């Protein structure tokens, strides 16, 4: 099953143009430092120019207009990373299980499975659930009562989508993530935490990706929403009634508490935490490990509690010198007392 | 399957009393800003009084003694949240799978399944395990050798309860959580980390709730304990031999290291971390992202390392001004040197 | 199935020597404060000497050369913890499922299962996958296309090993962990985050242990590597193309971002985070909740951003006094202004 293509053919696939030998035969992809004859690789940024000269690859994808031909075959494209991704899809295609429902899946007769969908072994699909066309439900997934998964979405093994939750089209959810677990809501009364019903849903819009072991809680009433094109990394916690806008990036182990509203294009670094019931404006950037306890309208934020990122950088650089500053204050107090006395 | 009830009937269910039309027909629940004719909603606190006047709901649950009738039908109760929860259970009942053992569950003949219990498809129940009456074991759960699940408990899909662990009554464990994984214990010797046997158990007392993707490690010897009525949010880590008291609240992504002992009614904010072998007293409150490295007898704590919350608030507000303070110290040093010279 | 052994026999198993009655009959293990007649226990360190005198155990494992016989039967060994572990294995043996492939496992005819391996119910093993001799694959595990699991490895229930990933020998992976989920890689272009193919693998070397709900992402191209003998606790995130050396200890809820390279014998405390594309030298120690944003060649580090641990301890102790320091600076400014004026 070895795949071969000429550089010219790859130019067609990527919408690029060739400088050098368009008939060069490409048989694989590799990072620049590991590429050998037959491989195509890519570089971005001037810092890799040296690597380019030394490259043993049969062709290199570069940004059109950024490089001269240095004696190797070049494929000039608008965006080298995306072009390299397209080429990777050719030489290392993704694993996709065959369509059809595995005889060892447990699909309720009242569920609907779209044409071309794949349902693996030991999957459970409850009554009223709908699986879209060409969706891929890997082994061991659980789809609850009346839940929906849109066309061309992929749910990897062990994912749980609980009752009533709605997953859009072209969504990807990685292994063992949970969509629609109960929100964390109690009312303390008569000496105990009384569980409040969590009967809303989670709605995940088109082209969202959730990493592995992500947890998204269902709303108490209404919806928890992950907006179109938002990408969420592994082990992230999204609490009940949170609403996240479109095209956000949420890095691993972030936690977002209940009812917080996040705008479009927000970037949240790893292990950051947001308290509940706040609003984060479009385009806000939140650094790793930041603790956000109030609304943020715009800007870049870091620290716990969060302050503007540049202030945080400056203050952090002074932090280590606190013991020295304390000594200098004490010395000043001594000197000033002395001066006062002498007067 | 539409549910209807008069306001009078709901007063019976919630132990409240009606001001207005007790015959008003209620057909659903909604938050105050979304409620329409037919819905019942609730408000708490004076700040929602305006919302109350504007409410389009057919009835509003309020705290008895807190409001006058403003022209809408009121259901006056002791605790509006709990009453609204009871009403929600009527109009949006929880999904409960039917009792019985699914033919595609793998139940060892040496396991005992209580009357009225539900065991879903692809569940594994090992030899000697005991499932209590009316317990609900959702699809894909794993119950290990001799493990016990008490009556009326619910384990959602993908939960693992390893050998020997004991789960009490009316416990809820959300999808993909793990009870009884090995504790993280090694002894470095002869150039390698030698695994120490982890052969104790986890004991989860009655009315505990664990979120999704929670991990509770089994004790090395003896027991890891989660006390009665304690509620634990998603993605929390409880290490081996930890003992947690009753009615604690542990928010998402908290980590508690080995052998730490936590009292009753302790509240731990999201992403906080507690080192091992410490004691946290009854009623202690620990803020989000706090790092606790020693015993805490009482009080409210924040910061990493933890200090009293009010001190932390004050110190944090000065933190951003550290660069300015440093400059002011340098300026003082200059001035004092000048004064000394002039003398 | 009660197990009995004489102290003399246990001396043989642990390579130790007895002081006292070698014929004492041992029937169980317990921590020193819970041990009763028939139990063997252990102590380490002088602080437990009192406990030793009061011990009700029938024998106590101690470090050879560290204790005199205080009237109880002693088993003197080189390393008491490891010896106690060996004895625990005798009295509380681990649960090991029987070898053989469960009829309700779904094993592709193109997969190979080694002699003596155990494959549980509802396991899926895809085409081309290889399970080593005596490996134990607990119920509900997913093993992807062409993935490999080495001899004597144990995968607990719900673990997912995606296509092509390679697990070494004597590896242990706890429930619901994920090996080989897609790395978190996108390229923003034309208003959306374009997914970049993640087609490398994860390689886990011999004697690694991964806790529960750990996520290890596959490389974009090439390999994400966990080195021989490294032990990883629950809920840890290892991003794509990370390379971790041998014999590291990574405590719960740590996150390591993409392409970071970690040396041998590195210790990382709970909830610490490492940004991507950095290098951590052999033997570096990183404290709990630390935020590492640059290379660390050696030493012990704490804080976010990370500074040397001793500096962090000193600076943290001043932090709470920041409001007081600010006041003292203001008072100095007042005094100095006064002095200047009087001149």
């Amino acid at each position: 099953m070895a795949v071969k293509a000429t550089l010219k053919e790859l130019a067609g696939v990527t919408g690029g143009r060739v400088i050098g030998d368009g008939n060069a035969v490409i048989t694989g992809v590799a990072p620049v430092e590991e590429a050998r004859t037959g491989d195509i690789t890519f570089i971005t940024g001037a810092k890799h120019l040296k690597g380019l000269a030394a490259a043993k690859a049969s062709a290199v994808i570069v940004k059109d207009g950024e490089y001269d031909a240095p004696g190797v075959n070049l494929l000039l494209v608008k965006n080298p990373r995306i072009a390299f991704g397209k080429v990777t899809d050719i030489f290392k295609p993704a694993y996709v299980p065959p369509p059809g429902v595995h005889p060892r899946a447990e699909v309720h007769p009242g569920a609907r499975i779209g044409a071309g969908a794949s349902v693996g072994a030991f999957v459970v699909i409850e009554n009223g659930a709908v699986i879209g066309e060409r969706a891929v439900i890997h082994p061991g997934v659980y789809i609850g009562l009346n839940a929906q998964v849109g066309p061309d979405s992929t749910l990897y093994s062990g994912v749980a989508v609980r009752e009533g939750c709605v997953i859009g089209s072209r969504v990807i959810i990685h292994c063992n993530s949970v969509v629609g677990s109960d929100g964390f809501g109690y009312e303390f009364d008569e000496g105990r935490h009384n569980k409040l019903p969590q009967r809303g849903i989670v709605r995940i819009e088109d082209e969202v990706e959730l990493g592995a072991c992500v947890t998204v809680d269902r709303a108490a009433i209404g919806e928890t929403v992950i907006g179109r094109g938002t990408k969420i990394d592994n082990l992230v916690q999204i609490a009940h009634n949170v609403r996240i806008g479109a095209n956000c990036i949420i890095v691993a182990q972030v936690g977002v508490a209940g009812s917080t509203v996040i705008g479009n294009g927000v970037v949240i670094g790893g292990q950051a935490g947001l308290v509940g019931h706040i609003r984060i404006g479009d385009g806000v950037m939140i650094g790793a490990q930041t603790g956000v306890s109030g609304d943020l309208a715009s800007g870049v934020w870091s620290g716990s509690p969060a302050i503007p990122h540049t202030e945080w950088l400056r203050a952090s650089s002074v932090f280590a010198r606190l013991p020295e500053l304390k000594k200098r204050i004490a010395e000043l107090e001594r000197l000033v007392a002395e001066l006062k006395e002498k007067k």
Side-chain angles (χ1 to χ4, degrees), chain A:
Chain A
M1 303 203 299
V3 181
K4 278 188 187 194
T6 64
L7 187 52
K8 210 161 42 184
E9 289 169 333
L10 297 180
V13 169
T14 57
R17 64 191 179 90
V18 173
I19 296 183
D21 179 9
N23 295 316
V25 174
I26 308 299
T27 56
V29 290
V32 65
E33 62 280 5
E34 293 173 22
R36 288 180 260 178
T37 305
D39 288 336
I40 188 165
T41 187
F42 80 106
I43 59 169
T44 59
K47 65 174 176 175
H48 291 111
L49 267 172
K50 268 189 202 162
L52 183 56
K56 286 167 188 147
S58 290
V60 181
I61 300 174
V62 298
K63 191 170 166 60
D64 203 344
E66 206 171 283
Y67 298 99
D68 287 334
V72 299
N73 300 318
L74 293 183
L75 173 51
L76 296 95
V77 298
K78 209 188 65 170
N79 187 318
R81 278 181 208 281
I82 290 175
F84 186 71
K86 284 177 179 166
V87 168
T88 300
D89 272 332
I90 292 168
F91 293 102
K92 291 179 176 272
Y95 164 70
V96 183
V101 175
H102 195 284
R104 279 172 151 178
E106 181 67 23
V107 179
H108 193 282
R112 274 187 299 147
I113 311 293
S118 170
V119 176
F122 313 130
V123 166
V124 172
I125 302 183
E126 301 277 18
N127 192 9
V130 178
I131 306 298
E133 297 179 2
R134 298 169 305 280
V136 177
I137 311 298
H138 283 269
V141 167
Y142 174 80
I143 307 285
L145 194 77
N146 298 322
Q148 297 174 33
V149 177
D152 300 299
S153 288
T154 299
L155 274 55
Y156 285 96
S157 71
V159 165
V161 178
R162 274 187 46 197
E163 62 271 21
C165 293
V166 177
I167 314 276
S169 303
R170 299 176 300 287
V171 167
I172 301 170
I173 306 183
H174 289 282
C175 297
N176 291 353
S177 281
V178 177
V179 174
S181 37
D182 284 3
F184 194 65
Y186 306 92
E187 177 75 5
F188 196 78
D189 194 49
E190 299 189 353
R192 58 196 295 281
H193 299 289
N194 296 273
K195 182 172 174 67
L196 300 175
Q198 305 292 315
R199 300 290 155 69
I201 66 160
V202 175
R203 185 161 52 82
I204 293 184
E205 297 186 352
D206 298 347
E207 286 163 28
V208 164
E209 184 163 356
L210 304 184
C213 296
V214 167
T215 59
V216 185
D217 280 353
R218 65 196 312 111
I221 300 192
E223 299 185 342
T224 302
V225 180
I226 315 275
R228 188 187 177 98
T230 284
K231 311 296 186 185
I232 295 184
D233 201 354
N234 300 341
L235 292 164
V236 166
Q237 149 72 353
I238 307 295
H240 53 178
N241 294 84
V242 166
R243 303 183 83 91
I244 300 178
N247 292 323
C248 296
I249 291 285
I250 301 182
V251 179
Q253 296 173 319
V254 162
V256 182
S259 299
T260 280
V261 177
I262 295 175
N264 300 316
V266 171
V267 176
I268 309 181
Q271 299 181 332
L274 283 68
V275 301
H277 298 276
I278 60 172
R279 288 188 161 267
I280 307 298
D282 291 351
V284 165
M285 302 184 74
I286 296 170
Q289 296 189 327
T290 294
V292 182
S293 55
D295 292 357
L296 300 177
S298 62
V300 185
W301 301 79
S302 288
S304 178
I307 56 177
H309 180 66
T310 49
E311 279 184 40
W312 175 78
L313 279 180
R314 264 181 261 135
S316 295
S317 75
V318 181
F319 176 74
R321 299 178 59 183
L322 275 181
E324 176 212 317
L325 293 185
K326 187 165 148 250
K327 264 192 217 152
R328 283 163 66 185
I329 291 169
E331 172 64 8
L332 280 165
E333 287 169 332
R334 198 186 58 77
L335 288 173
V336 168
E338 221 172 73
L339 285 168
K340 261 186 100 171
E341 220 165 79
K342 285 193 190 155
K343 199 140 301 195

